Amino acid sequence: MKSVLTSSAFALLASTAIADTITLYTSQPNADAQRTVDAFMAANPGTEVDWVRDGTTKLMARLRAEIEAGNPQPDVLLIADTVTLEGMAQQGLLNAYSSPEAENYDAALFSPKGFYYSTKLITTGLVYNTGVETAPTSWGDLSDASIKGQIAMPSPLYSGAALIHLATLTSDDSLGWDYYEGLAANGVRAQGGNGGTFKAVASGEKPYGMVVDFLAIRNKADGSPVEFVFPEEGVSYVTEPVAILSSAKNVAGAEKFVDFLLSEDGQDLVLDMGYIPARDGMGVPAGFPARDDIKLMAFDPAEALANADANKAKFSELFGAE
Amino acid sequence: MFAAQYNGGSRSEARLLSAILVVAICLTLAPVLRLFVEGVTYQGDPSLTLMRDVLAQPSTLSALKHSLITAGCGTLVSLVLGSAFAFLVALTDLRAKAALVFCLMIPMMIPPQITALSWVQIMGPSSALLKTLGIAPPLGAPQPLYSPEGIIFLLGIQHMSIIFLTLRAGLRSVPQDVVEAARISGAKGLRIWWQVVLPLTLPSLGAGTAITFVTALGNFGIPAMLGIPAGYATLPTLVYQKLAGMGTTVLAEVSVLAMLIGVVAVAGILLQRLFQTRQKLHLVGSTSRPLVLPLGKARLPVEILLWAVIFAILVLPMFGLLATSLIPAYGVPLRLDTVSIASWQEVIFRQPSTSRAFTNSFGLAMGASLVLVVICFPLAWLMERRKNRLARLFDSLLDLPYALPGVVLSIAMILLLIKLPFTDATLYGTIWIIFLAYIARFFAVMFRPVQASLKQFDPAMDEAAQSVGASLYRRLRDVIFPLSAPAAAAGAILVFLTAFNEVTVSALLWSSGTETLGVVIFNLDDSGETGMASALAMTIVLVVIVLMALIQLLSRRFPKGVVPWQT
């Protein structure tokens, strides 16, 4: 009886403890970020989350400026790709944390020391406006001269997913940099992030494009005139990892946030928002093929990290982007 | 005894003047100086290497070219539209002038990125409007606004009110007698305009054109929304892209770019001053009666035409914005069965950045207005009373932070405040850096009207109060402030509306939790959430129109000259 009393007293104390706050920098779309934060706060009353959304590249620039000024804001990062985080881990900017949830994940999906954990699978494939005559089926179709100037794609200078996509396709033997040179010659517009690319395709301004899967599949369900294609060669993928900064002011709150994202509830939410969850034994959202049927292209994170700046520079040169 | 008292009074005045001047100079001119120093040093030593390197980059040259082309041609568009409206409204017997002027002012008060967002919604292959009319371009047709022409066109619309206002002020000083004399000599409508009115208003036209050019040059919202998707960079968007993509590592490099914009802008400002000094035409005759040229039969067609232009530049884009904010997903046509208020609910009630931004923008705009009243009002009076050399120098330079493009000021502010002198603290990434930037930027907006009203003030009143022993503070409070309050109110209203809608400065200075409304709209659209961006933009447009309408309704109770668009 006594122990029940004390434990309930502790529970009361815990729930009325002073609300602590964590700051999150994320590249998720605004509405998804809000849902994630709401679900986390419902599961962990007493922990508040302040969050900021921007493209991965811009967020990193902002964070670098903050680190230089000696005042990094975020406790937690939830951004597109592991490559960026691997670079940060090597510079000692991340906090190692062994999450108890990790046992339900494929070892390839998190850093062995616990610097970052993948939360979902986001593939990049082909998207087209349903008003077009012929549907593309492979990456190569975008180099077809008959659709010159009608293609949009996200810029690797802005989007983390696009940079991984570039690294994946350029290290593929059959595609390589020749493929990107072909795209540049075919008048492909590479500007901004996936959101802008999707908008251009859905509005018919550029009826063909490369875009992340969930944007196309989710909006198609809402009535947008688009169709998503998993190309024959396979799709590139990013895993939207979460990481705690070594400069985090609220490490305990940040760890709770990581655990929540990796937990069954957190992954159900991922599924519900229309993404492929990273955790073992989960389904896929409506409109996606079964997970085993999705062909993932080969991708080497270490190589991508080593080549990141060279890739960006080469890309800028090809596409004349500033 | 009196003499002693007077001297005591003047000593306290001199001390107060010096104190306020130092504060004002730190706020407005220090950042500009700091920027200049950054551009001409390399790793701490004076050197021009950095400048040479940056100016030799092809991207710099093409952005400079793009800036000059868009600002120049945009000014021409403004000139044609603004002057046509000004001549017709000021000189003829059109009906409902007040309503016309009010509607003409709205585009100036609406933030440029909202103008751009709304126009994009009504053009291009997915435009619900063009689809309904059956003239939508085919699939794969480019969005016509994502081009230099699109930027020029929207810059022209955005700034036509500046030309309209300056020219109308000039037209009002054209005496009736001159026109009467011309008519007696047998001149008719167009000839009067061409040979009499136009030459008399050329100085104000020139000044207005120069201001418009400088404003267009510094515009960020329109070239960012329309130019970035087209890969067409102007100097301000180039600075933004470099800073956003690379962070403060490129600070020295963008300082040079900022100085380059500054140089072009200063050339424009000097041109405007040249025109203004030539404006002192000695006209004989009363200006009390405004000119009224009867339009006769042409009146109704002209009125219809003017209102059609207003409809096209104001109402249509707003409908486009509304339509986009009400569809469930991008590319879905708007019909009764597809209407959805999901975007509105999400952006107004669920997104924390929206309420944060409302709080930030409102607080910054209110705070800047209040602080500026407190600083500008005693400063303007003291500078009027005793012109020492420092005060004169400050007077000639205080327009700089407002006249220079916002990007220039932002970079200057980052340089100045990223490492506070004598401490380890930084203001970069806090709300204070935005606040200080606003104070510097809008200083002239508040100071000039107050200064103008105090110039007309008879010092005898103040001396009378002084001779009966009123202290400096008391004279300021009971004699001088009440007399210049209308001008201060006008300045405060303008500062509030401009700061509330500001995007250029805050786009470079915002950080987590310090977003302004302008930044949130830009970021939402940037991340593909056009529906949400449109819903928020609609909300802001409504807020601005309601504020303007309130001021308009209250204007009868204000003294003459309070409402900016009724001068």
Side-chain angles (χ1 to χ4, degrees):
Chain A
M1 184 68 222
K2 208 172 168 184
S3 64
V4 172
L5 269 180
T6 43
S7 63
S8 54
F10 270 117
L12 262 178
L13 271 179
S15 64
T16 54
I18 305 158
D20 57 339
T21 308
I22 53 172
T23 305
L24 163 73
Y25 275 19
T26 180
S27 61
Q28 284 186 297
N30 294 62
D32 292 347
Q34 187 56 44
R35 279 185 71 181
T36 308
V37 165
D38 283 348
F40 167 75
M41 295 204 299
N44 296 275
T47 307
E48 298 281 318
V49 184
D50 284 339
W51 58 273
V52 173
R53 188 251 162 236
D54 213 333
T56 296
T57 313
K58 280 193 193 171
L59 270 181
M60 287 300 119
R62 187 168 296 284
L63 182 59
R64 267 199 300 274
E66 284 168 3
I67 290 171
E68 259 176 60
N71 188 18
Q73 298 284 333
D75 300 303
V76 190
L77 293 175
L78 177 58
I79 56 172
D81 61 285
T82 47
V83 174
T84 308
L85 290 179
E86 180 56 43
M88 289 182 70
Q90 288 174 14
Q91 290 165 12
L93 297 169
L94 298 182
N95 193 347
Y97 168 57
S98 312
S99 173
E101 301 283 353
E103 60 195 26
N104 299 302
Y105 285 76
D106 187 324
L109 288 172
F110 59 93
S111 106
K113 295 198 180 77
F115 286 119
Y116 52 82
Y117 293 90
S118 301
T119 60
K120 54 183 75 91
L121 202 61
I122 299 174
T123 71
T124 293
L126 293 163
V127 62
Y128 64 92
N129 187 303
T130 48
V132 302
E133 311 267 308
T134 49
T137 54
S138 73
W139 291 120
D141 289 352
L142 293 187
S143 318
D144 191 331
S146 66
I147 57 167
K148 192 177 171 139
Q150 308 207 359
I151 311 145
M153 69 182 188
S155 163
L157 309 179
Y158 175 93
S159 153
L163 183 60
I164 304 289
H165 186 69
L166 174 86
T168 307
L169 265 57
T170 49
S171 59
D172 182 279
D173 296 339
S174 63
L175 295 166
W177 274 103
D178 296 352
Y179 175 64
Y180 269 85
E181 279 158 23
L183 290 182
N186 211 20
V188 173
R189 187 176 81 199
Q191 277 296 337
N194 280 284
T197 303
F198 172 77
K199 210 169 70 178
V201 174
S203 72
E205 187 213 338
K206 302 274 179 192
Y208 301 89
M210 306 176 173
V211 84
V212 287
D213 53 22
F214 69 90
L215 266 184
I217 292 172
R218 188 197 296 178
N219 277 291
K220 182 190 157 192
D222 283 338
S224 268
V226 294
E227 203 55 71
F228 185 78
V229 179
F230 290 87
E232 294 156 14
E233 301 95 331
V235 285
S236 75
Y237 65 99
V238 291
T239 57
E240 192 149 283
V242 61
I244 302 172
L245 273 104
S246 53
S247 57
K249 298 177 190 72
N250 183 355
V251 177
E255 288 173 354
K256 271 194 237 169
F257 188 75
V258 173
D259 290 347
F260 171 77
L261 287 184
L262 302 180
S263 71
E264 185 123 28
D265 288 348
Q267 292 289 301
D268 271 333
L269 179 74
V270 166
L271 187 59
D272 197 43
M273 290 194 291
Y275 301 95
I276 304 168
R279 191 183 168 104
D280 294 339
M282 309 279 297
V284 289
F288 281 78
R291 196 160 151 181
D292 298 339
D293 297 346
I294 298 175
K295 185 178 167 192
L296 298 177
M297 294 172 81
F299 167 65
D300 179 0
E303 192 192 346
L305 178 63
N307 296 337
D309 287 337
N311 282 349
K312 280 189 201 173
K314 206 160 171 178
F315 179 88
S316 310
E317 205 178 307
L318 265 185
F319 286 81
E322 304 298 353
Chain B
M1 190 202 122
F2 271 119
Q5 204 178 44
Y6 185 84
N7 282 340
S10 75
R11 250 213 310 279
S12 68
E13 277 177 26
R15 272 203 302 269
L16 182 64
L17 174 62
S18 318
I20 303 180
L21 256 185
V22 168
V23 171
I25 287 173
C26 281
L27 282 174
T28 52
L29 302 181
V32 181
L33 274 174
R34 175 69 185 79
L35 174 68
F36 182 75
V37 169
E38 182 75 19
V40 295
T41 53
Y42 182 70
Q43 295 179 341
D45 304 316
S47 126
L48 293 176
T49 23
L50 181 70
M51 210 177 257
R52 213 179 37 230
D53 291 350
V54 177
L55 294 181
Q57 285 171 3
S59 66
T60 307
L61 293 177
S62 79
L64 175 64
K65 198 174 76 189
H66 293 169
S67 266
L68 291 174
I69 291 172
T70 51
C73 300
T75 304
L76 284 181
V77 175
S78 298
L79 190 63
V80 171
L81 284 170
S83 56
F85 267 89
F87 282 121
L88 287 166
V89 169
L91 303 180
T92 66
D93 60 347
L94 288 175
R95 284 162 296 188
K97 281 184 189 175
L100 201 64
V101 174
F102 182 79
C103 292
L104 205 59
M105 283 299 107
I106 296 178
M108 189 163 86
M109 294 298 170
I110 288 176
Q113 74 278 22
I114 293 187
T115 310
L117 184 66
S118 60
W119 276 91
V120 168
Q121 308 309 336
I122 57 167
M123 308 284 275
S126 70
S127 157
L129 176 88
L130 298 184
K131 274 182 177 165
T132 320
L133 296 174
I135 50 169
L139 207 64
Q143 162 68 264
L145 288 172
Y146 290 160
S147 65
E149 293 79 15
I151 299 174
I152 287 166
F153 173 64
L154 288 195
L155 283 175
I157 288 177
Q158 185 79 25
H159 301 132
M160 64 188 260
S161 339
I162 303 178
I163 301 268
F164 174 82
L165 284 180
T166 45
L167 184 57
R168 192 171 65 145
L171 284 167
R172 286 198 169 163
S173 62
V174 175
Q176 185 99 356
D177 317 14
V178 181
V179 180
E180 292 291 332
R183 289 177 115 177
I184 291 165
S185 322
K188 288 254 174 1
L190 270 182
R191 187 155 167 204
I192 293 181
W193 176 75
W194 179 244
Q195 294 194 325
V196 179
V197 178
L198 190 66
L200 287 176
T201 50
L202 272 182
S204 55
L205 207 56
T209 307
I211 302 173
T212 307
F213 176 77
V214 174
T215 317
L217 184 80
N219 190 304
F220 167 78
I222 290 171
M225 288 277 213
L226 303 181
I228 291 177
Y232 186 89
T234 64
L235 283 171
T237 58
L238 182 68
V239 168
Y240 168 80
Q241 282 173 295
K242 275 193 190 291
L243 205 62
M246 311 276 180
T248 44
T249 43
V250 290
L251 203 49
E253 199 181 321
V254 292
S255 311
V256 177
L257 289 175
M259 280 174 74
L260 182 62
I261 309 174
V263 168
V264 181
V266 166
I269 298 163
L270 292 175
L271 203 65
Q272 183 241 329
R273 292 221 169 153
L274 185 77
F275 280 118
Q276 258 185 337
T277 49
R278 295 200 33 208
Q279 215 163 348
K280 295 190 176 69
L281 288 168
H282 294 288
L283 292 168
V284 188
S286 76
T287 55
S288 56
R289 275 187 306 156
L291 277 176
V292 178
L293 301 175
L295 283 169
K297 273 191 197 144
R299 186 161 80 167
L300 189 63
V302 168
E303 282 175 345
I304 290 173
L305 180 72
L306 292 188
W307 281 105
V309 171
I310 296 259
F311 182 80
I313 62 176
L314 190 65
V315 184
L316 271 187
M318 288 303 130
F319 272 117
L321 212 51
L322 187 64
T324 307
S325 71
L326 290 173
I327 50 176
Y330 209 75
V332 180
L334 181 65
R335 291 192 310 267
L336 275 179
D337 57 329
T338 58
V339 168
S340 138
I341 54 164
S343 290
W344 285 81
Q345 278 176 314
E346 179 69 38
V347 81
I348 306 284
F349 297 111
R350 285 181 49 96
Q351 288 292 318
S353 56
T354 314
S355 57
R356 263 204 312 253
F358 258 107
T359 316
N360 290 339
S361 281
F362 193 85
L364 286 166
M366 271 311 268
S369 312
L370 289 175
V371 168
L372 283 171
V373 168
V374 170
I375 295 180
C376 289
F377 163 71
L379 182 68
W381 179 69
L382 291 166
M383 276 168 65
E384 213 40 50
R385 292 260 311 193
R386 38 181 71 240
K387 283 237 186 260
N388 60 26
R389 200 175 307 162
L390 187 64
R392 269 201 216 103
L393 179 73
F394 180 68
D395 194 359
S396 61
L397 291 177
L398 73 84
D399 287 317
L400 261 188
Y402 182 64
L404 285 174
V407 179
V408 182
L409 184 72
S410 308
I411 299 292
M413 279 288 172
I414 296 176
L415 288 171
L416 191 71
L417 301 173
I418 195 159
K419 284 249 191 303
L420 286 179
F422 321 120
T423 62
D424 288 338
T426 176
L427 287 184
Y428 186 61
T430 67
I431 194 102
W432 299 108
I433 193 169
I434 304 181
F435 185 67
L436 290 172
Y438 280 8
I439 298 273
R441 184 146 178 80
F442 304 127
F443 198 94
V445 179
M446 176 66 87
F447 188 85
R448 293 297 179 204
V450 174
Q451 189 186 32
S453 80
L454 288 173
K455 272 197 198 306
Q456 298 158 350
F457 172 78
D458 185 355
M461 292 223 237
D462 177 58
E463 281 155 16
Q466 205 171 8
S467 65
V468 294
S471 67
L472 172 63
Y473 167 73
R474 191 132 178 218
R475 279 178 285 134
L476 277 173
R477 195 192 62 188
D478 293 344
V479 181
I480 300 142
F481 186 68
L483 287 166
S484 65
I493 289 167
L494 265 187
V495 169
F496 183 88
L497 277 173
T498 346
F500 189 71
N501 287 326
E502 198 286 327
V503 66
T504 319
V505 171
S506 44
L508 294 178
L509 300 179
W510 74 276
S511 170
S512 61
T514 65
E515 306 96 328
T516 61
L517 285 168
V519 168
V520 169
I521 291 179
F522 182 68
N523 284 349
L524 280 172
D525 184 62
D526 197 41
S527 60
E529 309 271 14
T530 313
M532 279 201 239
S534 304
L536 183 55
M538 276 309 286
T539 320
I540 293 170
V541 168
L542 290 176
V543 169
V544 170
I545 292 181
V546 166
L547 277 176
M548 281 176 69
L550 268 179
I551 294 164
Q552 181 86 9
L553 287 176
L554 290 172
S555 67
R556 293 197 195 92
R557 301 195 179 182
F558 291 148
K560 198 167 155 48
V562 171
V563 182
W565 51 90
Q566 291 189 330
T567 41

